[in-house]
Amino acid sequence: MAQNRQAIQARIRSVDSTKKITRAMQLVAASKLNRQKQAMEENREYANALSEMLTVVLQAGMKNSIYLQENEGKPAYIFAITSDMGLCGGYNANIQRLIQSHVSPEDKVVMIGTRGANWIRSRNFNVIDELVDLDFDNDYASLSKKMDEALQLFENKEISSIKILYTYFKNTLTFVPEMMNVLPVEQPEEKETKSNAVMLFEPGQEEMMKQVIPLICKSTLYAKYLESKTSEQASRRMAMESATDNAQQLRDELSFAFNQARQAAITQEITEIVSGSNAIS
């Protein structure tokens, strides 16, 4: 009986130690979530402004631009964004399932994140590069360089499209993996207007497209990267909160079992004392 109580006490100490760790990780994830969310929201205004500019240019008439034509029969170029660290619930698993269902072995994949890079190495995918442990202050430069390479391939008609596989951040409780098409650009719906104004472009419409499209592609990739990182921290915070709650529940159960064992030991001792006293008398 004493050995049973000692074992329960050892488990209680172990659970308490685990609970302290998960609680600390929950607080760290919450702090990082606020930072990532702020960066995501600040970048969103810039990305939206570029998208509006693209809409204006396309509505002015650019139906023959190479950026609007898909190179059929060619593989896609896909940026897949995962995490560099674990303990973030089903965040990486959701991306992995989307890769298996939406990416073909011929597609060119740039895997962003250590977890995704380690996972995909043992599978039949055409991984052309890996971006791992990106620095928060220099991550735009690394992503921009890879987008330049993808744009060059698209302009040379070596790939059919450029896509981003990321995690859409809806709120701190909801984040969904999605596949976004970057190129070719979808033309906006034409709207009737009573204005007869003619839009002029300087130095020219085609030249503007060559400058605007790369800016928008880079901005879009960076925006989705920030959105994925925000989703990662939100997922990690939820996972650590759940682990902390489970640890507390387990501790309560162990404390109840320990009290039961102690009461049983006390009852047994009293019974032995009473039995001994009756035998003497």
Side-chain angles (χ1 to χ4, degrees):
M1 187 67 69
Q3 291 180 348
N4 186 38
R5 282 183 292 167
Q6 290 177 353
I8 295 176
Q9 282 183 316
R11 288 197 63 192
I12 290 176
R13 288 193 295 269
S14 176
V15 170
D16 285 339
S17 178
T18 302
K19 180 184 173 183
K20 290 179 181 178
I21 295 173
T22 56
R23 176 60 178 168
M25 295 184 67
Q26 176 187 343
L27 296 175
V28 171
S31 177
K32 290 184 177 181
L33 171 61
N34 293 333
R35 182 188 179 192
Q36 288 288 163
K37 188 177 180 182
Q38 181 180 359
M40 178 191 70
E41 291 174 346
E42 290 174 352
N43 180 76
R44 183 178 291 166
E45 295 183 11
Y46 173 72
N48 290 340
L50 284 179
S51 297
E52 292 175 3
M53 182 187 299
L54 177 63
T55 300
V56 171
V57 175
L58 290 177
Q59 286 179 338
M62 287 294 296
K63 296 182 179 180
N64 297 324
S65 173
I66 61 172
Y67 299 111
L68 304 179
Q69 310 298 327
E70 181 175 0
N71 303 317
E72 297 182 359
K74 301 294 183 178
Y77 193 105
I78 301 173
F79 293 91
I81 305 174
T82 60
S83 71
D84 288 307
M85 298 185 295
L87 299 176
C88 49
Y91 173 81
N92 290 311
N94 293 333
I95 293 293
Q96 291 164 5
R97 281 195 291 269
L98 203 60
I99 290 175
Q100 290 178 319
S101 59
H102 287 74
V103 179
S104 67
E106 295 78 20
D107 292 336
K108 300 178 183 293
V109 180
V110 174
M111 184 58 66
I112 302 173
T114 304
R115 293 287 169 168
N118 293 336
W119 172 83
I120 206 170
R121 285 173 192 155
S122 60
R123 288 163 176 81
N124 186 29
F125 290 102
N126 181 21
V127 181
I128 61 174
D129 202 356
E130 298 175 358
L131 299 178
V132 299
D133 295 325
L134 293 180
D135 181 50
F136 183 80
D137 297 322
N138 300 317
D139 45 13
Y140 179 81
S142 300
L143 296 172
S144 177
K145 181 179 179 181
K146 296 310 301 182
M147 181 56 77
D148 280 334
E149 295 177 8
L151 288 169
Q152 187 64 46
L153 292 174
F154 186 83
E155 292 169 358
N156 294 339
K157 297 185 178 182
E158 296 180 32
I159 57 175
S160 62
S161 58
I162 300 177
K163 301 179 180 181
I164 303 175
L165 202 167
Y166 73 106
T167 303
Y168 168 68
F169 178 84
K170 186 175 183 180
N171 53 52
T172 55
L173 299 176
T174 307
F175 17 87
V176 184
E178 291 186 354
M179 179 81 83
M180 175 185 181
N181 193 72
V182 180
L183 287 182
V185 178
E186 294 183 3
Q187 294 196 55
E189 296 181 359
E190 296 184 1
K191 297 181 180 179
E192 294 184 1
T193 176
K194 297 180 181 180
S195 175
N196 295 322
V198 177
M199 185 173 296
L200 300 178
F201 296 92
E202 182 66 31
Q205 195 172 18
E206 188 67 31
E207 185 63 26
M208 174 172 275
M209 285 290 286
K210 290 181 180 180
Q211 296 179 16
V212 171
I213 289 293
L215 279 176
I216 293 176
C217 292
K218 294 174 185 179
S219 175
T220 300
L221 177 58
Y222 185 62
K224 299 312 175 185
Y225 172 76
L226 291 179
E227 195 163 347
S228 294
K229 286 299 179 182
T230 305
S231 300
E232 174 192 342
Q233 297 302 336
S235 181
R236 181 173 288 109
R237 186 197 64 79
M238 287 183 58
M240 293 301 99
E241 181 180 7
S242 177
T244 302
D245 293 342
N246 291 339
Q248 181 60 47
Q249 181 180 355
L250 180 57
R251 192 194 190 286
D252 293 340
E253 294 174 356
L254 290 172
S255 296
F256 180 74
F258 176 79
N259 290 332
Q260 279 187 321
R262 184 177 61 178
Q263 291 174 358
I266 293 173
T267 301
Q268 183 178 356
E269 291 176 1
I270 293 175
T271 301
E272 291 175 354
I273 293 172
V274 173
S275 299
S277 176
N278 290 336
I280 293 174
S281 62

